[in-house]
Amino acid sequence: MPHRLLKPLALAVALTLSTGALAATSSTFDVSELDSSINACNDFNGFVNAKWVAAHPIPADRTRWGSFDALREDSLNVQRKLVENAASHAAQAKPGSIEQKIGYLYASGMNEAAIDKAGFDPIKPKLARIAAVKNGAGVAAYIRDSYAHGEPVLFSFGGNADFKDSNKEIAYAGQGGLGLPTTDYYSKPDFAKIRTAYVGHIAKMFELTGIKPAEAQKQASAVLAFETRLAAASLPRVEMRKPENRYHLVSIAEADKVTPGFEWAAFFKAQGADAGNSFSMAQPKFFAEMQKMLGDVPASTWQAYFRYHAISNAAPYLSAPFQQEDFAFEQQTLNGQKEMQPRWKRVLETTNGSMGMALGQLYVVDNFPASSKQRAEQLVKNLSAAYKTRIEQLEWMSDATKQKALQKWATFVPKIGYPDKWRDWSGLTLQPTNYYANVQAAQQFNYAYRVAKIGKPVDRDEWGMTPQTVNAYYSAQKNEIVFPAAILQPPFFDPKADDAINYGGIGAVIGHEMGHGYDDQGSKFDASGNNVNWWTAADRSAFEARTDKLAAQFDGYEALPGKHVNGQLTMGENIGDLGGLNAAYTALQMALSKNPTEAASKIDGYTQDQRFFLNWARVWRGNIRPEAQLTLLNTDPHAPAQFRAIGAPSNMPEFAKAFQCKSGDAMVRDGAKQVKIW
């Protein structure tokens, strides 16, 4: 499971540590945005971001707004020009080219008249198929057929590297099938109103397909009861972070004993998956409950469950009433969004979901200069050198474990900008006008592409994120750090900026992704990407004593009245932030030691150390609707942005020194409260 925010790094390199302008002629950080009425030592996030947040309300079609969101908006506007150009020239484009396919997909999605005229006709054959399910055998057959068309149902399924042999791709089946964000939504009193709204939403979806209100309400209640059983047999988010809960290798015969009513060999054959004799059936408790439900749940309830999810999955591609009801629950009720996004954004999102890497191939042509890739590569080398130094200097880790940690460091693989090779889309056939059919074709094509990898060697050149995505990720099984082109822009990366700005931005992001290799779960994978223990017992105990303190720190942050951050759910990201910011600071000092003039200079009255921390906080500026924040507190492994701005710096004496903070200030965690890990 990648953690989100080429060749292995050479170990002996002559580092060119400075990446920014030696003497910035103009500031790339607007100090007028700082709020001098707020003490940086008490509320650093407020000092840096309060004025900006107050001046930038959340747009009506958004659930939050901040640095990431503004950069994503820029990326969307660039992409819009690409897809609109492809759509307007699709008829003249080379037949079968990605330009033509993207053009057909986008143009068909923008043809609202045709979509509205079709109503829910596109899913009538599927609804008829569901109505024909009469028993357990029919349920199993429907699941096989639905998956074979690229439409997941009931449980999760796909290919991934074997946790014990990272060079081989195997099949994974796991828990799934829920319509609400987490298992807690089905049982905790806090979410009773959302459960009521969910039943109302399901009933409205049924009514849109012609089911009478009383019957729709009855079926909707049955769906909630059905999913509540699944939720009770599912592991919560915190437990799902642990590798041992996401990998359970069984033979097909063993799996059939767990679910005698669901034949796994027949399932794999229907998918065209070469699973061999075994696969990972993680969360066996879930599949045991699935077996019970195959025996004791009436066919009418299975039909209601399948029916709702078929309608819900198709809703964004059907007529306006379906789109509006989907928005009303998924975005308004759960996330507080005021208005639906404009049509072009929704169709562009579908285009990214269907042909994102092909769109990325067009995106990088004019939006990622070679100079940006070269500078980013240099920054990765600099952060890598800094991280190595910090590992070597750890006081709490034995030499034996350090050697293993350094072996892992030596095999980090950075990927920057975009893939070295592009995916082949020649097997995908799309039409100029039929949006739903195009989405279905892409789903099935992409599913078949992924399933075909099962049983084969892992493709280590493949990317898990498109170039136009404003994010980054680490993969424990490939031990790789990946930085798409779209994140290599201000405020993260600016070729015109001084070193402090770049190290406090993209430098800390690079360090963060490296840090995932050593977080509470990534540290359970070795240099080859295998889930094996490389720690001494004493070192693991010392590590966990430190991570427990970090969990307690974030448990103390109150995001909403009475609602705190979950320090265990967000642990991996918080370790990444703390290690990444420290490594970036070390790299900055290494750079400044080569350039004493820049080190001693101030820009707009702030030192390099101060500007480093200022840009770190600026990256996390933003505002979020309370409904969306509540959902994220329960689902997101990332802490709320305002706490990421302060969490890591408050543990760093370098921050306190830079801003002349003293013991007792909110931004100074010293003594027993200070967390030092990497």
Side-chain angles (χ1 to χ4, degrees):
M1 183 183 295
H3 292 273
R4 303 178 188 275
L5 178 13
L6 298 162
K7 291 183 282 190
L9 288 173
L11 303 189
V13 292
L15 296 183
T16 306
L17 289 164
S18 180
T19 63
L22 296 183
T25 56
S26 62
S27 175
T28 52
F29 186 100
D30 186 356
V31 296
S32 70
E33 294 177 341
L34 301 176
D35 191 338
S36 59
S37 71
I38 298 176
N39 187 336
C41 296
N42 289 329
D43 180 6
F44 190 59
N45 178 63
F47 172 69
V48 178
N49 295 325
K51 285 176 66 176
W52 187 93
V53 169
H56 296 82
I58 303 171
D61 69 342
R62 293 273 189 164
T63 59
R64 59 186 179 187
W65 189 253
S67 293
F68 273 90
D69 307 284
L71 194 51
R72 285 171 180 148
E73 189 76 9
D74 291 342
S75 178
L76 289 178
N77 286 323
V78 170
Q79 294 172 55
R80 182 185 187 181
K81 293 178 181 177
L82 293 171
V83 294
E84 288 182 347
N85 182 64
S88 63
H89 294 91
Q92 295 79 38
K94 179 181 177 182
S97 64
I98 60 172
E99 290 85 354
Q100 185 179 67
K101 290 174 183 179
I102 289 171
Y104 281 168
L105 179 57
Y106 185 78
S108 66
M110 294 301 291
N111 189 347
E112 294 180 81
I115 293 167
D116 285 340
K117 183 179 179 182
F120 70 100
D121 286 353
I123 62 170
K124 284 181 178 177
K126 190 172 188 68
L127 296 179
R129 172 80 174 82
I130 291 168
V133 172
K134 301 300 182 185
N135 50 34
V139 168
Y142 176 81
I143 293 171
R144 287 195 301 268
D145 182 63
S146 186
Y147 254 112
H149 285 85
E151 299 171 9
V153 62
L154 191 62
F155 55 84
S156 63
F157 175 74
N160 199 6
D162 189 330
F163 274 26
K164 300 300 181 182
D165 181 3
S166 64
N167 290 315
K168 180 177 66 176
E169 185 127 351
I170 65 168
Y172 284 77
Q175 67 187 45
L178 303 182
L180 290 175
T182 73
T183 57
D184 286 344
Y185 280 71
Y186 292 89
S187 57
K188 287 193 173 181
D190 289 0
F191 302 113
K193 289 183 179 179
I194 288 180
R195 288 194 291 275
T196 299
Y198 185 45
V199 171
H201 163 65
I202 296 171
K204 287 179 182 176
M205 284 295 205
F206 286 154
E207 289 178 43
L208 288 174
T209 62
I211 297 175
K212 300 296 184 183
E215 177 62 19
Q217 187 69 28
K218 177 183 175 183
Q219 291 189 27
S221 296
V223 172
L224 178 64
F226 182 99
E227 291 185 6
T228 300
R229 282 187 66 175
L230 292 181
S234 301
L235 291 175
R237 287 291 175 104
V238 169
E239 292 302 309
M240 284 293 288
R241 292 191 63 246
K242 301 174 181 178
E244 57 268 32
N245 288 334
R246 290 185 282 116
Y247 179 82
H248 180 63
L249 199 66
V250 297
S251 68
I252 289 179
E254 289 169 334
D256 284 343
K257 289 180 182 178
V258 178
T259 60
F262 189 85
E263 205 177 324
W264 286 97
F267 175 77
F268 291 133
K269 183 178 179 180
Q271 313 314 307
D274 181 14
N277 259 338
S278 62
F279 68 103
S280 173
M281 179 189 267
Q283 309 96 48
K285 179 183 174 183
F286 174 89
F287 288 99
E289 184 64 18
M290 170 180 141
Q291 172 58 33
K292 290 179 185 177
M293 294 172 77
L294 285 169
D296 64 26
V297 171
S300 60
T301 299
W302 280 102
Q303 289 176 358
Y305 173 75
F306 290 148
R307 183 178 296 117
Y308 166 64
H309 285 283
I311 299 168
S312 179
N313 291 338
Y317 322 116
L318 300 179
S319 59
F322 290 90
Q323 298 169 42
Q324 290 159 359
E325 178 55 36
D326 180 64
F327 167 77
F329 181 74
E330 298 292 344
Q331 298 306 323
Q332 281 188 317
T333 300
L334 290 180
N335 294 296
Q337 188 170 316
K338 304 301 182 186
E339 295 178 3
M340 194 182 296
Q341 289 200 323
R343 181 74 188 173
W344 72 265
K345 284 186 179 179
R346 288 179 279 137
V347 178
L348 178 55
E349 181 181 4
T350 301
T351 305
N352 267 305
S354 302
M355 294 187 68
M357 200 57 78
L359 181 55
Q361 192 172 344
L362 305 182
Y363 174 88
V364 299
V365 172
D366 295 317
N367 295 284
F368 190 61
S371 59
S372 292
K373 184 166 186 172
Q374 292 163 4
R375 289 189 181 99
E377 287 172 342
Q378 190 63 60
L379 273 165
V380 170
K381 291 178 181 178
N382 299 351
L383 264 293
S384 180
Y387 226 110
K388 180 186 181 189
T389 297
R390 296 190 66 84
I391 293 171
E392 291 170 338
Q393 294 175 353
L394 289 176
E395 297 177 355
W396 58 268
M397 182 180 280
S398 70
D399 287 342
T401 305
K402 277 184 185 178
Q403 290 307 307
K404 296 291 186 180
L406 289 169
Q407 286 176 18
K408 187 167 188 175
W409 168 86
T411 60
F412 271 130
V413 177
K415 296 180 177 178
I416 297 168
Y418 54 89
D420 290 331
K421 64 177 183 181
W422 296 103
R423 183 178 160 188
D424 180 11
W425 296 88
S426 59
L428 175 62
T429 300
L430 300 180
Q431 306 170 33
T433 57
N434 194 328
Y435 188 43
Y436 180 83
N438 285 341
V439 172
Q440 292 299 106
Q443 284 181 352
Q444 189 165 0
F445 177 79
N446 288 324
Y447 176 69
Y449 172 80
R450 293 190 297 269
V451 167
K453 295 177 178 294
I454 295 172
K456 295 183 173 63
V458 168
D459 182 358
R460 294 187 176 273
D461 294 325
E462 188 172 41
W463 281 45
M465 196 173 277
T466 66
Q468 63 272 28
T469 302
V470 182
N471 211 327
Y473 73 90
Y474 168 77
S475 168
Q477 290 162 283
K478 292 183 178 180
N479 200 30
E480 66 182 12
I481 48 176
V482 183
F483 307 97
I487 200 172
L488 298 171
Q489 301 179 65
F492 298 96
F493 173 68
D494 187 344
K496 300 176 183 177
D498 50 304
D499 278 333
I501 295 298
N502 280 326
Y503 279 101
I506 196 64
V509 173
I510 293 168
H512 170 100
E513 299 305 340
M514 290 180 175
H516 276 309
Y518 304 103
D519 71 21
D520 61 320
Q521 305 306 328
S523 60
K524 295 177 181 178
F525 291 80
D526 66 9
S528 299
N530 293 318
N531 179 210
V532 297
N533 180 34
W534 47 271
W535 296 69
T536 67
D539 287 338
R540 191 72 196 184
S541 178
F543 173 67
E544 290 177 352
R546 285 161 172 76
T547 61
D548 285 346
K549 288 172 64 176
L550 189 62
Q553 175 185 344
F554 278 82
D555 282 341
Y557 291 139
E558 188 176 31
L560 294 169
K563 303 293 183 183
H564 287 245
V565 176
N566 185 330
Q568 290 295 332
L569 178 61
T570 59
M571 177 75 81
E573 302 300 329
N574 299 335
I575 294 172
D577 281 354
L578 183 59
L581 193 62
N582 271 284
Y585 182 83
T586 297
L588 173 63
Q589 302 313 308
M590 293 167 70
L592 294 177
S593 70
K594 304 294 184 182
N595 186 8
T597 301
E598 185 176 9
S601 68
K602 287 187 176 182
I603 299 177
D604 294 329
Y606 290 91
T607 67
Q608 284 285 288
D609 279 16
Q610 288 174 324
R611 287 171 65 78
F612 170 83
F613 289 110
L614 289 172
N615 201 39
W616 167 257
R618 178 173 66 161
V619 162
W620 301 113
R621 67 173 34 156
N623 202 357
I624 186 168
R625 301 191 191 281
E627 299 91 342
Q629 185 64 89
L630 181 62
T631 298
L632 292 177
L633 284 174
N634 288 279
T635 61
D636 192 359
H638 304 84
Q642 68 268 35
F643 302 126
R644 298 185 75 176
I646 64 174
S650 66
N651 284 302
M652 295 175 63
E654 297 87 350
F655 173 86
K657 181 179 179 182
F659 288 91
Q660 299 178 323
C661 304
K662 60 185 184 300
S663 182
D665 289 338
M667 282 299 298
V668 179
R669 299 180 64 84
D670 51 10
K673 291 200 297 185
Q674 186 185 27
V675 185
K676 296 174 67 177
I677 305 178
W678 295 104

